[in-house]
Amino acid sequence: MPLEITRLSPSTIQLRQPKASHWEAPFLFLLFGTDRALLLDTGATADPERLPLRETVDGLIADWLRTHPNSEYELVVAHTHAHGDHIAGDGQFAGRPHTSVVGTRVEEVIAFFGLSDWPEHPAVLPLGDRNIDVIPGPGHEPSAVVFFDRESGTLFTGDTVYPGRLYIRDRVAFRATIDRLIAFRDAAGPDLTVLRGCHVEMTSTPGVDYPVGTVDQPDEVPLDLPPEILDDVRLALDAAIDPSGKVVRDRFILSYED
Ligand SMILES: [Zn+2]
């Protein structure tokens, strides 16, 4: 089943696993630099017959190389976090030439990106002419990271912030991550224009989400969120939690799991 491809710019591609192949329907991103491309996440399905991720990415890279020839062009396969719906397709990249697949344990993430004093300090992943900031983001999941692409002004927030249910597994770490992202956003100023996470679960009715497992979402909201949404998430972290363990806001729902 083909992935849905949206070109956000000639060098920034959004991929979505179709709902019909897996209800989680995660978004993935492929960013091209002069020396290497960066794939963020590998989807919820391992089987290339059901999700031809490797074939899709190879085709997109071949397209890119037609106008940017480079016989040594590299691919880095990284993850927003280690949950199954974001790493299932990793195996499709095994043995691919000039390719690094980043491990999913915290120590592996720290080592690959050269992060110091986890989770305090960001690192930079150079793609050649394009630099990606890698910001530690534990709270939803221990090895979560957030990526900032200076070229498109996009903060790729994974499952930490998106229009849906923000599952908080570690309250202290999650709060510190939101504070870290707010500080990063404030330092970036107008260079940071949009947030893109990995799922859409909210309907077009404010505060109303689709039930878990929904396959058909004709009324879903767009994926992109404004930078100010981080302030709303921060405020919601201090709000009263309802009896079902949730804090409901128009564009997201905090969902406490502890
Ligand atoms: Zn997810």
Side-chain angles (χ1 to χ4, degrees):
M1 187 163 293
L3 287 100
E4 298 157 13
I5 299 173
T6 305
R7 286 185 186 272
L8 301 175
S9 79
S11 54
T12 307
I13 296 175
Q14 174 176 293
L15 304 164
R16 190 183 196 183
Q17 174 162 2
K19 272 272 180 190
S21 71
H22 197 290
W23 69 269
E24 289 270 22
F27 290 83
L28 298 69
F29 300 91
L30 181 63
L31 314 180
F32 292 104
T34 45
D35 295 344
R36 60 189 66 87
L38 171 65
L39 176 65
L40 299 179
D41 289 352
T42 62
T45 300
D47 181 0
E49 301 288 323
R50 291 173 51 219
L51 187 74
L53 178 62
R54 163 78 181 273
E55 184 185 325
T56 304
V57 168
D58 281 354
L60 291 165
I61 291 175
D63 285 348
W64 171 265
L65 291 176
R66 264 191 280 280
T67 48
H68 305 78
N70 180 347
S71 60
E72 304 289 305
Y73 199 64
E74 298 170 12
L75 172 65
V76 173
V77 179
H79 312 97
T80 60
H81 63 294
H83 286 150
D85 55 324
H86 302 265
I87 66 169
D90 277 16
Q92 295 188 25
F93 295 90
R96 188 185 186 280
H98 308 297
T99 299
S100 308
V101 179
V102 181
T104 55
R105 291 184 297 120
V106 179
E107 310 83 73
E108 292 172 305
V109 171
I110 290 170
F112 184 87
F113 294 113
L115 291 158
S116 60
D117 199 15
W118 173 273
E120 297 305 324
H121 299 302
V124 174
L125 175 69
L127 302 183
D129 61 340
R130 185 177 197 177
N131 283 329
I132 307 296
D133 296 280
V134 183
I135 309 158
H140 170 70
E141 190 278 329
S143 70
V145 285
V146 170
F147 299 88
F148 177 59
D149 170 36
R150 303 177 192 184
E151 185 177 302
S152 66
T154 308
L155 193 64
F156 294 101
T157 45
D159 282 6
T160 299
V161 181
Y162 67 96
R165 292 176 292 273
L166 313 184
Y167 292 101
I168 300 170
R169 267 106 187 186
D170 180 331
R171 295 182 193 215
V172 173
F174 191 91
R175 180 183 297 257
T177 284
I178 297 301
D179 285 341
R180 192 176 308 112
L181 294 178
I182 288 173
F184 186 92
R185 176 203 64 188
D186 291 349
D191 293 341
L192 195 161
T193 55
V194 66
L195 274 63
R196 288 181 185 273
C198 285
H199 301 277
V200 174
E201 293 159 356
M202 302 306 289
T203 71
S204 57
T205 305
V208 178
D209 59 335
Y210 287 102
V212 171
T214 300
V215 169
D216 192 24
Q217 296 190 171
D219 253 350
E220 69 176 23
V221 295
L223 177 65
D224 54 293
L225 289 167
E228 302 75 41
I229 199 79
L230 291 170
D231 301 314
D232 299 335
V233 174
R234 185 64 183 79
L235 283 170
L237 288 170
D238 287 333
I241 302 169
D242 72 22
S244 64
K246 293 183 166 62
V247 176
V248 177
R249 291 292 179 264
D250 284 357
R251 302 179 84 172
F252 60 87
I253 295 171
L254 300 187
S255 200
Y256 288 93
E257 300 231 304
D258 54 351

